[in-house]
Amino acid sequence: MKKIGILGGTFDPIHFGHLILAEGAKELCNLDEVWFMPAKTPPHKLGKKISEFSLRKSMIELAIQGQDGLYCSDFENTLEGNSYTFNTLEKLQSKYIDDEFYFIMGADSFYEIETWKNPDIILKIVKLIVASRDYSNENLTLKKHFEHLKSKYEIKGIYFLDTMDIDISSTHIRELSGAGESITKYVPEDVCRYIKENKIYV
């Protein structure tokens, strides 16, 4: 049995914050692998312009090359319809029945999870790894939200990951790149080069 962390998102583009989160989750829960899983059709971004799936996937592969235990999965690209997390996790569980999945998310997503489609299924079938800044007040609030969720749902497990305050926005990176500004402090060098060569955010 493998312990596999799933880190989903648009990844438009992937940045250092995503990489730090993946490594932190891997260490916290002793995961065998972390799969970066770009969304094919994120329901919260319908009507908004996002880069082609193949471009986002290529940027992830460049960012994680040579890093042990980090992989890019195109699993959501094989599914029909919008990329709902509960559906993806159910399909993963049925395909990889001998493995145990952990879903990695930020604190903002954790607070909003009840607005997601079928949060009860998510909480029941996978363990969550929730990234939080190392501030006692915020962690206390996260714990309170956990108690709230526990009173309403069957929860498989939740782990809280203290992370440094990494204020990186993919939107800001796209704006900088589009304006011809440097993005080297936000994304790996190979990803910078790929973005420039393919004029992704021009």
Side-chain angles (χ1 to χ4, degrees), residues 19 22-23 26 32-36 63-72:
L19 299 174
E23 289 289 0
K26 186 169 178 283
D32 296 294
E33 299 173 357
V34 173
W35 295 359
F36 288 80
I64 64 176
Q65 60 186 346
Q67 299 193 51
D68 187 47
L70 303 186
Y71 300 94
C72 181

Side-chain angles (χ1 to χ4, degrees), residues 8-185:
T10 311
F11 300 112
D12 194 17
I14 188 171
H15 53 63
F16 287 127
H18 297 130
L19 299 174
I20 291 169
L21 179 55
E23 289 289 0
K26 186 169 178 283
E27 182 177 347
L28 176 70
C29 293
N30 196 28
L31 304 177
D32 296 294
E33 299 173 357
V34 173
W35 295 359
F36 288 80
M37 193 168 289
K40 179 176 76 169
T41 313
H44 61 293
K45 300 226 172 149
L46 294 177
K48 296 182 180 180
K49 181 183 177 182
I50 61 172
S51 302
E52 290 291 331
F53 183 89
S54 60
L55 294 173
R56 294 182 284 123
K57 179 174 179 284
S58 294
M59 286 190 282
I60 294 171
E61 290 171 339
L62 287 169
I64 64 176
Q65 60 186 346
Q67 299 193 51
D68 187 47
L70 303 186
Y71 300 94
C72 181
S73 169
D74 65 355
F75 187 78
E76 283 205 346
N77 201 39
T78 68
L79 304 179
E80 295 296 325
N82 293 335
S83 302
Y84 289 112
T85 299
F86 88 92
N87 183 50
T88 299
L89 295 175
E90 280 191 319
K91 295 290 196 303
L92 282 171
Q93 288 281 20
S94 63
K95 183 173 182 179
Y96 302 95
I97 56 175
D98 294 326
D99 296 323
E100 183 174 26
F101 288 97
Y102 295 67
F103 188 71
I104 305 165
M105 61 167 52
D108 53 347
S109 296
F110 181 60
Y111 288 131
E112 297 170 359
I113 194 167
E114 288 186 283
T115 69
W116 294 16
K117 195 172 182 66
N118 298 335
D120 55 320
I121 295 176
I122 299 170
L123 292 165
K124 183 178 180 179
I125 65 175
V126 296
K127 296 177 180 178
L128 300 185
I129 301 175
V130 182
S132 62
R133 298 183 185 92
D134 189 16
Y135 299 145
S136 58
N137 286 344
E138 179 169 340
N139 286 331
L140 180 62
T141 305
L142 286 170
K143 298 292 194 323
K144 282 184 177 178
H145 190 59
F146 166 58
E147 292 299 329
H148 162 71
L149 293 175
K150 195 166 66 170
S151 71
K152 293 180 62 177
Y153 305 98
E154 180 182 342
I155 296 179
K156 187 166 186 179
I158 294 180
Y159 300 86
F160 293 105
L161 171 65
D162 288 335
T163 59
M164 65 180 75
D165 188 2
I166 310 163
D167 187 18
I168 303 178
S169 160
S170 292
T171 300
H172 183 54
I173 294 170
R174 293 194 299 271
E175 290 171 349
L176 287 174
S177 181
E181 302 289 334
S182 172
I183 57 173
T184 54
K185 68 178 181 178

